[in-house]
Amino acid sequence: MKIKITLSLLLMSFCVIGSSNWAIGQDNNVGLIVGALEHHHVQWPDWGPSFFPEKERKYKFQVRVLFEKKGSSWVAFKHDANNSEDLKKSIKYYPREIDWLVAFDGKTIGQLKSTVPDTIPYYACVGLHVLDPNAKSPTVGKITKEFAGWSDEPCFRPLVLVSKNYTSNPQMWKPVRPPNSIIQQCKEAFIKVVGPVALCDEKSGHKIIANNYSSRINHIKTYQSKDGEYLTCYRLEVPYNNKCDEFSDDFSDQWFFINKTGSVQHIGEKMALLDAGDYDKDGISEIIFWYSRYDEDGYILFYNHFSNHAKFTWNYH
């Protein structure tokens, strides 16, 4: 009985999707679509990283179809499913076959093809396409946990896929060290967004409510466009203290956008910057983030100088 349960969980961790459509021609109705090439460790999140010995770990690449340009808006493909019947029907909302360009940092670094699967077995598989078995999947950087998601398994960073030859980054977003004035503005904005926090009084071991904790907020990373806009991330650092362990909070990284006039806008938390590119060729770069929280992973695409966004997420149970 124990063996059967283990095998059942193992199958649940695989998005085992197949397709019999490789012989069909290109779908001429494919519009302007953005997806992601994901590097996925095949295991159930609850098992943790020690379930498989390192030499037995199995990874695969998979394609997830995410967003489509409709008129002047980016729209997420249908990804909400409440039961197995919803999952089965979700296939009809996705293109049958897509030829992709792989984008990174304003450049095209590969080409792939994917096809709609015969079925979608689990919630975490929503939006997946079957990757051409002959595809050569490019990678960038090293395997880390930055984009691990809820499974907490190290992987290569996802790469943006575009159905048209639109991979440039005209705003030329690049990492920089921001001016002190920007850092101070963002710390003030951080406190307004997060509000009072429970911190540990290291002498007494009691919880204290702090309203001004600017000195504990650390700058993590910043990117600047050629137009003088900033995209920046900050984190509240709270040293571990065993006297106050019961009061510890999960303080998420907070992201802010600063426009050319210096106005600060909070854009979200629990995110990691994936890439920037002009995916609709309107002269303004879209920004895509990886998004992850408990039992939920996904992507957020910001456009029109962060005035609009589209969000694609999935759950695991």
Side-chain angles (χ1 to χ4, degrees), residues 197-223:
V197 298
L199 300 177
C200 175
D201 182 88
E202 298 178 5
K203 293 183 179 180
S204 67
H206 296 308
K207 177 176 68 173
I208 58 173
I209 302 300
N211 293 293
N212 188 349
Y213 41 88
S214 178
S215 62
R216 293 179 180 262
I217 301 173
N218 287 345
H219 167 254
I220 304 301
K221 60 183 67 174
T222 293
Y223 300 84

Side-chain angles (χ1 to χ4, degrees), residues 184-201:
Q184 185 57 38
Q185 275 185 283
C186 290
K187 285 187 175 184
E188 293 172 1
F190 187 110
I191 293 173
K192 287 182 180 179
V193 169
V194 175
V197 298
L199 300 177
C200 175
D201 182 88

Side-chain angles (χ1 to χ4, degrees), residues 20-316:
S20 57
N21 295 331
W22 287 112
I24 65 176
Q26 173 67 38
D27 188 342
N28 294 324
N29 294 321
V30 170
L32 179 51
I33 296 172
V34 165
L37 176 64
E38 300 174 341
H39 185 237
H40 174 61
H41 180 224
V42 185
Q43 76 166 59
W44 186 244
D46 288 346
W47 287 346
S50 62
F51 186 87
F52 289 112
E54 189 69 34
K55 63 181 180 180
E56 296 180 12
R57 292 189 177 190
K58 296 182 179 180
Y59 287 85
K60 69 172 185 176
F61 288 94
Q62 59 190 26
V63 168
R64 199 178 300 264
V65 183
L66 302 172
F67 307 106
E68 183 176 19
K69 189 68 183 290
K70 291 188 175 182
S72 60
S73 300
W74 284 99
V75 180
F77 277 89
K78 184 174 176 59
H79 55 279
D80 53 327
N82 297 315
N83 50 56
S84 58
E85 191 63 27
D86 287 348
L87 284 175
K88 186 186 300 183
K89 292 179 180 178
S90 69
I91 293 175
K92 69 181 182 181
Y93 297 103
Y94 290 81
R96 186 175 58 176
E97 182 177 287
I98 307 176
D99 287 309
W100 299 101
L101 294 175
V102 187
F104 181 71
D105 195 23
K107 302 178 182 66
T108 299
I109 62 172
Q111 290 181 285
L112 301 170
K113 178 176 286 188
S114 67
T115 303
V116 71
D118 296 325
T119 186
I120 298 292
Y122 305 111
Y123 296 121
C125 306
V126 68
L128 289 185
H129 254 204
V130 181
L131 181 62
D132 182 344
N134 298 315
K136 295 182 179 179
S137 301
T139 60
V140 171
K142 298 179 180 180
I143 292 178
T144 70
K145 285 192 174 185
E146 184 176 6
F147 301 94
W150 190 52
S151 69
D152 199 34
E153 278 296 323
C155 62
F156 284 113
R157 68 183 301 124
L159 295 174
V160 174
L161 302 175
V162 192
S163 64
K164 306 292 183 184
N165 190 17
Y166 303 156
T167 61
S168 67
N169 178 18
Q171 289 187 284
M172 300 175 63
W173 286 95
K174 299 295 180 184
V176 297
R177 172 69 184 180
N180 289 335
S181 58
I182 293 292
I183 293 177
Q184 185 57 38
Q185 275 185 283
C186 290
K187 285 187 175 184
E188 293 172 1
F190 187 110
I191 293 173
K192 287 182 180 179
V193 169
V194 175
V197 298
L199 300 177
C200 175
D201 182 88
E202 298 178 5
K203 293 183 179 180
S204 67
H206 296 308
K207 177 176 68 173
I208 58 173
I209 302 300
N211 293 293
N212 188 349
Y213 41 88
S214 178
S215 62
R216 293 179 180 262
I217 301 173
N218 287 345
H219 167 254
I220 304 301
K221 60 183 67 174
T222 293
Y223 300 84
Q224 184 181 23
S225 74
K226 70 177 180 62
D227 302 319
E229 300 168 322
Y230 290 93
L231 183 59
T232 185
C233 178
Y234 293 81
R235 179 184 303 155
L236 177 59
E237 300 286 359
V238 181
Y240 173 76
N241 187 313
N242 57 10
K243 291 182 179 180
C244 297
D245 187 42
E246 62 180 297
F247 301 126
S248 62
D249 288 325
D250 177 20
F251 297 113
S252 302
D253 291 358
Q254 304 292 334
W255 283 86
F256 300 90
F257 170 67
I258 300 94
N259 65 19
K260 290 185 289 186
T261 66
S263 177
V264 179
Q265 173 188 347
H266 178 250
I267 61 170
E269 62 177 356
K270 299 183 184 296
M271 306 188 305
L273 180 62
L274 193 60
D275 205 4
D278 185 10
Y279 307 125
D280 56 5
K281 210 171 183 179
D282 66 351
I284 304 172
S285 298
E286 281 73 44
I287 310 289
I288 298 183
F289 281 86
W290 167 252
Y291 169 85
S292 182
R293 60 191 307 159
Y294 179 81
D295 189 31
E296 185 181 26
D297 288 331
Y299 301 87
I300 305 176
L301 183 153
F302 291 92
Y303 60 104
N304 289 342
H305 298 282
F306 289 89
S307 61
N308 304 95
H309 73 274
K311 187 176 183 179
F312 186 109
T313 61
W314 61 90
N315 303 106
Y316 292 89

